[in-house]
Amino acid sequence: QVQLVEFGGGLVRPGGSLRLSCAASGGIFSSAAMAWFRQAPGRQRELVATISSRGTPSYEDSVKGRFTITRDNAKNTVDLQMNSLKPEDTAVYYCNRWGTSDWGRGTQVTVSS
């Protein structure tokens, strides 16, 4: 089990950008695939992006071309760069060690004019 904490949420206008970061501690990181999920009120939690231990990314169709997931194993962090944000991107974003029940507490992203 690893401790995960998200940073970087906030308010942004449609079309704007925001960068989220997830810091991991208390366990392994460099050998673990990581993921970002999001959950809007009244909706199911949904997968946004994953990144393998080697840095290979994968994205949900709704964010392809707009979001970029990266990792820095030296810093034990995984980031999510979000560009061209839309109101439907509004949600609480969660960091997850892929395939496990290791979750961050979430960070709120609100896209609104």
Side-chain angles (χ1 to χ4, degrees), residues 4-66:
L4 304 173
V5 181
E6 301 94 339
F7 303 91
L11 299 171
V12 64
R13 294 189 176 95
S17 297
L18 202 62
R19 188 178 186 91
L20 306 182
S21 183
C22 172
S25 63
I28 62 171
F29 178 79
S30 62
S31 63
M34 302 294 294
W36 284 97
F37 286 76
R38 66 187 180 187
Q39 186 168 24
R43 299 191 64 185
Q44 298 272 44
R45 185 195 307 157
E46 66 175 353
L47 178 65
V48 177
T50 64
I51 186 165
S52 76
S53 61
R54 297 185 178 184
T56 302
S58 183
Y59 303 95
E60 286 296 293
D61 288 342
S62 63
V63 306
K64 284 182 179 177
R66 300 189 298 121

Side-chain angles (χ1 to χ4, degrees), residues 78-99:
V78 57
D79 290 1
L80 186 69
Q81 178 66 46
M82 304 183 293
N83 300 324
S84 301
L85 283 162
K86 305 174 181 179
E88 52 262 44
D89 295 318
T90 296
V92 177
Y93 284 70
Y94 297 92
C95 182
N96 167 249
R97 187 162 66 91
W98 180 245

